[in-house]
Amino acid sequence: MHAEKLPPQTFHRVRPPYRVAKRRPVKIRRLVKTKNTKLILPQLKYKNILILVAILMTASWVITLPFRGRTASQTPQPTPQTSVSPTLVPPYVRPVPQQTPEDLGFAYNVRRQPPLRYNPQLQEIVDELVKISEEKGLPTEPLSISLIDVRSQDVHTFAGYQSQEVRYPASVSKLFWMAAFYGAVKKGLIEDESKFHEDLRAMMQKSHNDSASKILDAITDTKSGSKLEGKDLEKWLDKRKSVNNFFHKAGYKNLIVSTKNYPRYSPSQEGPVGRDRQLRKKDGKFLRNLISTDQAARLMYEIYTRQAVSRQYSTRMAYLLTRDLRPEVWQNDPYNGIKGFLGESLPTKIYFGSKVGFTSKHRMDVAFVRTLDDKAIYILAIFAEDIAYARDEEIFPKLSRHVYDRMMALNGQ
């Protein structure tokens, strides 16, 4: 490599002074031309600078190549703390990562169906539940079942029976109002969240219809009242139906959660009146809320994988869903949501979260179950639209216990 040629004036020889007398020969030190760094950069051409930058970027890419594609470290799952009632601490299930959704206005944030894989073994369990119902003389046409196994960290699996059939959910609709409420809070549509805390608790833990009415009004910025006409009615209907669109934009097809639950006590109403009745009329038909067990199980799945609205709000929702299965806690509570439903037959020392629905003609429940040793972690949703199921307080506990025993045995293998 040759040193770059510099201007001749950069160096000069030191000549010895003239002397008459004889003098020793003077040793002239050899001069070595050194690079002047102050002159190099100005002399580099623009093309050379670009080449240098490209070389540096290529080197950086090669150095970091082994680290590309590595997954982020997993969030450690919380371990039960025996000193703080381990059965009442909502657990966390690791979700499959999803891209950040685009802003669609007031809309649920999880836009695609859970990445679940069909499992024939789970289907056998579901089919056994249908057979148990038949053996008790109960009709299976009005029955829907969804089962999701979330124990594995690699893949979550599902099975079902008439699981996409939309049915009247009774108070299970309050599960969706809870999610929509926190979606409205995050979007800034509800400014003072704190004033609704007591209504949220009453709605989810006592299934109180008056509190649920206040929550739905807050979500949609509407109020019940006398009949409306013309543009006033259309505006009110659009605002109330916005809670349906909130979920429709996220793939919850054919879902309706825009009508209130009755009876209400303040004011006293056995059924919808005024504009609420106008809402439920379409093409001469009287419409009600409609949800499938797949949709109920999906929302429960997204809450416990901490995806619903946000991780923070999912945790709040999980606490509102938490149930204490110890009989001394719920037996004297008329609004317990345990007796006659999926939690009654299960061991007390597990984590259990649920939302039930019940009328004189319906029995509904969706639950998240997790044992403290993690041998079974699953979501079970059962809807039964028939008076025979409403009158039978043993069928749901029996079906639930069967699923629990089979899941423990299945995962024990």
Side-chain angles (χ1 to χ4, degrees):
M1 179 180 289
H2 297 283
E4 186 175 353
K5 186 174 181 180
L6 300 176
Q9 65 270 22
T10 305
F11 302 101
H12 64 274
R13 292 183 179 276
V14 179
R15 300 181 182 276
Y18 176 79
R19 297 180 63 179
V20 178
K22 187 177 179 179
R23 61 186 184 274
R24 297 178 183 178
V26 178
K27 294 182 179 181
I28 301 175
R29 296 165 60 184
R30 183 181 179 185
L31 298 177
V32 180
K33 294 182 179 181
T34 59
K35 294 181 180 181
N36 190 336
T37 57
K38 294 182 179 180
L39 297 176
I40 291 177
L41 281 178
Q43 291 172 359
L44 284 178
K45 294 182 179 180
Y46 183 72
K47 179 179 179 181
N48 294 338
I49 293 175
L50 291 178
I51 293 174
L52 180 61
V53 172
I55 292 173
L56 292 175
M57 292 178 64
T58 303
S60 174
W61 184 85
V62 172
I63 292 173
T64 60
L65 184 61
F67 302 97
R68 297 175 183 272
R70 291 188 179 183
T71 57
S73 59
Q74 299 177 4
T75 303
Q77 295 187 8
T79 55
Q81 302 293 325
T82 55
S83 60
V84 290
S85 299
T87 59
L88 299 182
V89 178
Y92 166 73
V93 177
R94 181 173 62 88
V96 177
Q98 298 193 33
Q99 294 181 348
T100 302
E102 60 177 317
D103 188 0
L104 298 180
F106 181 51
Y108 185 59
N109 62 299
V110 184
R111 303 291 161 72
R112 65 178 184 179
Q113 297 286 337
L116 306 177
R117 181 184 300 172
Y118 174 76
N119 188 326
Q121 292 178 306
L122 292 186
Q123 190 62 55
E124 290 180 6
I125 298 175
V126 172
D127 292 342
E128 290 164 3
L129 300 185
V130 177
K131 186 176 181 180
I132 291 173
S133 299
E134 289 178 333
E135 291 175 347
K136 288 204 69 176
L138 297 170
T140 57
E141 183 179 351
L143 182 66
S144 291
I145 303 171
S146 294
L147 178 60
I148 304 176
D149 186 358
V150 294
R151 178 175 180 268
S152 172
Q153 293 189 358
D154 299 321
V155 61
H156 298 159
T157 58
F158 79 98
Y161 173 75
Q162 300 187 137
S163 57
Q164 296 183 10
E165 185 76 21
V166 290
R167 302 186 184 277
Y168 176 66
S171 289
V172 175
S173 58
K174 294 165 186 173
L175 174 69
F176 290 79
W177 294 337
M178 175 179 65
F181 173 83
Y182 283 115
V185 171
K186 185 178 180 183
K187 197 68 180 177
L189 303 179
I190 296 177
E191 297 181 356
D192 188 1
E193 172 196 350
S194 61
K195 71 179 184 180
F196 294 99
H197 284 173
E198 183 59 30
D199 286 318
L200 280 169
R201 187 196 65 79
M203 178 180 76
M204 297 308 297
Q205 297 184 358
K206 304 295 183 182
S207 206
H208 199 275
N209 288 342
D210 286 18
S211 293
S213 176
K214 294 177 183 178
I215 295 297
L216 184 57
D217 285 346
I219 295 169
T220 59
D221 189 28
T222 60
K223 289 184 178 181
S224 298
S226 58
K227 289 184 178 181
L228 297 173
E229 301 294 339
K231 292 184 179 180
D232 289 339
L233 175 61
E234 292 301 320
K235 181 179 179 181
W236 187 90
L237 291 175
D238 288 341
K239 293 173 72 173
R240 178 62 73 81
K241 291 178 181 178
S242 66
V243 70
N244 298 332
N245 296 331
F246 176 82
F247 290 103
H248 291 169
K249 294 175 183 177
Y252 284 81
K253 296 180 180 179
N254 301 320
L255 174 141
I256 300 176
V257 287
S258 53
T259 65
K260 295 183 176 182
N261 293 121
Y262 297 89
R264 289 176 59 198
Y265 303 99
S266 179
S268 179
Q269 294 177 355
E270 289 296 321
V273 297
R275 63 194 71 171
D276 284 291
R277 193 171 184 84
Q278 290 175 295
L279 169 70
R280 295 172 66 167
K281 283 188 175 181
K282 182 179 180 181
D283 300 330
K285 296 181 180 180
F286 194 60
L287 300 181
R288 298 186 296 176
N289 290 334
L290 294 172
I291 298 171
S292 69
T293 53
D294 272 359
Q295 292 168 341
R298 173 188 167 181
L299 183 54
M300 191 72 84
Y301 174 88
E302 288 160 352
I303 289 172
Y304 281 96
T305 53
R306 301 299 191 269
Q307 298 179 89
V309 183
S310 72
R311 185 180 181 88
Q312 174 191 7
Y313 291 131
S314 289
T315 302
R316 294 188 188 181
M317 287 187 266
Y319 271 107
L320 288 169
L321 290 167
T322 300
R323 306 287 179 258
D324 193 330
L325 296 182
R326 293 176 297 170
E328 62 270 24
V329 174
W330 58 262
Q331 279 182 339
N332 296 323
D333 182 1
Y335 308 102
N336 60 78
I338 303 298
K339 183 175 176 56
F341 292 94
L342 300 180
E344 182 181 3
S345 58
L346 299 181
T348 58
K349 292 186 178 180
I350 63 171
Y351 174 81
F352 184 82
S354 72
K355 185 67 193 81
V356 305
F358 180 77
T359 73
S360 60
K361 298 180 181 179
H362 305 83
R363 188 177 294 274
M364 318 289 193
D365 201 352
V366 54
F368 178 92
V369 179
R370 183 171 187 169
T371 62
L372 300 186
D373 58 6
D374 285 353
K375 284 186 178 180
I377 313 174
Y378 61 90
I379 294 168
L380 176 63
I382 303 179
F383 287 4
E385 275 189 309
D386 192 274
I387 192 172
Y389 286 92
R391 291 176 175 176
D392 193 333
E393 292 189 346
E394 298 179 355
I395 183 60
F396 270 41
K398 185 173 184 177
L399 297 177
S400 179
R401 184 67 195 208
H402 184 82
V403 173
Y404 177 85
D405 291 339
R406 292 284 277 113
M407 294 297 287
M408 290 291 285
L410 179 64
N411 294 325
Q413 296 174 1

